[in-house]
Amino acid sequence: SAARVFPNPVRGRLHCVLEPPIEGQVRLEILDAGGRLACSRVDETGSAGGRLPSWDLTAGDCALSPGAYVIRLTTATREVARKIIVLQ
C-alpha cells in the first residue's frame, strides 16, 4: 500500500491519494520533527479514486510553520507515513 502526497515541498494546499484506493474513514495527522501532533483531521472519507479532501496548511487549526513534518494516514486496515516539507 502507498500514499502520494503532493506537492512536496508544499506551500498552501496539500493533496493526498491512497493507493490502492480505499473507501471509508481515514485519519490524517501531521507530526512535527519531534514526533508531536501538529494537527489532525479525523474521519475524512476517502473517495473511490483514493483521493482525500485537500488540506490547507496556511489557515485555521492546521496553519503550520515552515519546516519538516510527517503526515500519517491511518485506515481500518493500514497506516502510511510520508515526510513533507512546508515552505513559507
Side-chain angles (χ1 to χ4, degrees), residues 9-70:
V10 60
R11 178 182 287 120
R13 195 161 285 280
L14 182 69
H15 304 274
C16 303
V17 178
L18 289 171
E19 298 169 341
I22 186 168
E23 290 189 45
Q25 301 301 304
V26 180
R27 176 185 301 258
L28 296 96
E29 299 170 305
I30 295 183
L31 309 173
D32 67 14
R36 294 174 297 269
L37 184 65
C39 66
S40 66
R41 287 171 63 179
V42 180
D43 296 332
E44 292 293 345
T45 301
S47 68
R51 184 176 292 269
L52 299 170
S54 62
W55 201 344
D56 185 357
L57 301 181
T58 63
D61 294 342
C62 285
L64 299 178
S65 299
Y69 296 86
V70 172

